Every structure is written in C-alpha cells, then in structure tokens.
Amino acid sequence: MRVLLTGWAGFVHGEATAGDVLAMEAVRETLAGAGVECEVAWSPVMRPDGLTLERADPARYTHVVMVCGPAHGEQVEWLHRRFPHCRRIAVGVSVVDPASPAVTGFHAVLPRDAPGTAPRADLAAAPAAPVPGPPVVGVVLSGGQPEYGDRGRHVPIAEELTAWLGSRACARVPLDTRLDPRDWRHAATPAELEAVIGRLDLVVTTRLHGLVLALRNGVPALAVDPVRGGAKISAQAVAWEWPAVVTTGNRDAPPFLRRPVLDRWYDWCLSPEGGGASARRSPPAPSLLDDLLRTLGTGAAARRSTP
C-alpha cells in the first residue's frame, strides 16, 4: 500500500489554511504510525520544490486520500480523473451536495459534516507532539514621511524588509501605532496597543514609536532607519543606547538593506543574554520634561514614574 495524501493545500487554485495543513499532518502522522507508506502532494505555492499533484505518477500509488475542506468543485473532480486507478478516500471534509461528481467520485467519504450525519471534530483538533513555537514578531512600518524629501526610502525599505521577514520562521503580526477608535483594526488607546506589544518576542520597525513602545515594554526591537544617512530613528536609538538599529548609509539604489546584517541583529534581539536582557533595562530619564519645567520657570524637576 502506498498513499498519496493531498487536499486543498495541494490544488493549484486551492487555498491552504492553517487548519488544512494541520489536518493533513494529523493524517500523515497517523498513517506513518500505522506503518503505511505515505507521500504528500502540495501546491507549487506551498512547496515550490516539492511533490505536486501534477508531478505525482498515478501508477506509483494504490490510494489517494483527500483531507479537509469542501468535497466540491472542479478541482476535486479533476483529482478523480487524474488518479482513476487509485482507491480514493475523502476524510474530514464538508459535503455540500452528496450527489455531486466531486463526492460520488470517492470510493469512501468520511465527512466532518454532511447532510443526514452527525458532525465530527475537525482533524486540525488532533493532538500533536509539542514543539517549540516560532517567535512572535510585531511589524510596525512607516508608509512615508514627506518631510525628509528625497532622503526618504520608506517604500523600497518596507518592500526589502518584509521580503526578508517572509524568509524568517516567525509569526508576523502587522501593527500600526496610529490610533483610531472608529476602526476595529486599530487600537483606540495606547494601552490597547501596548497590550499587544507586551506579548511579543520582537518588534521590527521603521517607525520611531515602534522602537520606543517596544523598549518601553521590555521587548527588543530591530529598528531600521528608512532615511538616507539616518534620521530620528537612529537618533532615538542613541538616546536609548540601543544597538539594534540598521541604517541604509548613503546608498542611492536598492538593495538598501543587507540580509546578513538583518539576520545578525534579529538573532541578537531574540537571544536572552543579548536583546532580551538589554530591552529589560530601565528607560532613559525623561530629561525633556525637566527641560520643559525649567523653560516654564518652575523650580520643580520632573519625576519619572516607573510602570
């Protein structure tokens, strides 16, 4: 017996959800534990160099198992035509129309939900062996700051930075320091935003307040100054004595960022003895508040409160 395992994460025009992939992994582990030889076919998007349904030789397999998602549509019907001599099984699928060719083409259907059957737990709920989770990285980017004129490199820097982040094994959380109580996608108060930042492992940012709010909450920040020659982010890093700041120097053409430099600071920020320890230091004294009081002619000095 040799099984080809696939699902909507294997279709060229499919959609790979986290649940789909977890369900496929649960089936793969179960089959492997039972001593069944199994290979997984992915879409070219999910695994560009991996096995695809188009590359899989139908003569190589005795069974095809489709996991998760709706058993419906032309791509599922194509699966039957592609592997006509294999025994085809659908497991953990939703059956919308039991009479459709997509459903009747299977030799056996083990649904999670179908007309006339009791619902069953989705396969993504299957327990998995505990593994260390990837770091959770907040991403705070500036769309542009016209006051810097042609020194600004905000758009190409954001493109290079996000392309690099996509190559790192981390859970990325897009964040915006802009508050807007009218839009649920934005925090309405600083406390709401800091509630998220405080739960992160790292902040990657091209915004000054991305750097400040991360360090204020004891979270290391990899700051990238998108202004040629450095500007307020670089200056703020100096004020905080924070070393993990990347500048573009005076380069006039992309690439503006060097990946080895980003990698080095990323690893440093996530190391407990490096960025982790440094970010937990007390913030700098608010000397500007003292200056303000002196400028106003008061005799008092600002007193920094410790959160």
Side-chain angles (χ1 to χ4, degrees):
M1 181 186 299
R2 182 180 287 120
V3 174
L4 179 65
L5 182 66
T6 193
W8 282 92
F11 295 139
V12 173
H13 301 293
E15 179 181 74
T17 70
D20 292 333
V21 175
L22 286 171
M24 290 170 65
E25 183 62 19
V27 172
R28 187 196 65 78
E29 288 184 358
T30 299
L31 293 179
V36 177
E37 187 176 352
C38 175
E39 295 178 351
V40 182
W42 300 94
S43 76
V45 172
M46 290 296 294
R47 301 286 193 278
D49 299 323
L51 178 67
T52 66
L53 289 170
E54 288 75 12
R55 295 173 187 161
D57 180 3
R60 177 175 171 79
Y61 306 99
T62 58
H63 294 70
V64 172
V65 176
M66 175 183 169
V67 182
C68 202
H72 185 79
E74 167 58 30
Q75 292 191 96
V76 180
E77 295 176 24
W78 172 83
L79 189 70
H80 301 313
R81 298 193 297 270
R82 171 69 175 154
F83 300 93
H85 303 298
C86 296
R87 180 169 175 81
R88 298 177 301 281
I89 301 170
V91 59
V93 296
S94 292
V95 175
V96 180
D97 178 7
S100 74
V103 176
T104 60
F106 287 106
H107 296 88
V109 178
L110 310 173
R112 62 187 176 190
D113 57 89
T117 66
R120 302 176 73 178
D122 185 80
L123 289 167
V131 294
V136 181
V137 178
V139 185
V140 186
L141 302 177
S142 172
Q145 294 164 329
E147 62 267 29
Y148 291 108
D150 61 5
R151 291 176 59 208
R153 299 287 186 266
H154 298 75
V155 173
I157 289 294
E159 291 174 351
E160 291 182 25
L161 190 58
T162 52
W164 166 75
L165 271 172
S167 70
R168 301 296 313 210
C170 62
R172 292 161 288 275
V173 181
L175 295 174
D176 195 335
T177 56
R178 183 170 62 88
L179 305 179
D180 190 343
R182 304 163 300 176
D183 189 340
W184 67 268
R185 290 166 294 190
H186 292 271
T189 66
E192 292 178 3
L193 179 60
E194 289 189 285
V196 178
I197 291 175
R199 289 166 168 80
L200 300 173
D201 297 308
L202 170 65
V203 169
V204 174
T205 184
T206 61
R207 296 194 73 101
L208 180 149
H209 283 122
L211 168 64
V212 172
L213 293 179
L215 297 181
R216 167 184 159 95
N217 285 275
V219 176
L222 198 175
V224 177
D225 195 323
V227 178
R228 185 181 62 193
K232 60 185 178 182
I233 291 180
S234 299
Q236 194 62 207
V238 171
W240 282 78
E241 298 181 355
W242 183 252
V245 59
V246 177
T247 63
T248 63
N250 289 310
R251 291 186 289 279
D252 291 319
F256 296 107
L257 302 176
R258 295 188 174 94
R259 289 198 173 196
V261 175
L262 294 172
D263 289 335
R264 177 167 60 85
W265 283 121
Y266 178 94
D267 293 338
W268 179 84
C269 284
L270 289 174
S271 65
E273 66 282 0
S278 297
R280 289 190 293 272
R281 295 178 304 176
S282 297
S287 59
L288 282 174
L289 296 179
D290 292 332
D291 290 348
L292 173 62
L293 292 177
R294 282 192 291 268
T295 301
L296 290 172
T298 72
R303 292 291 179 264
R304 175 168 57 92
S305 62
T306 302

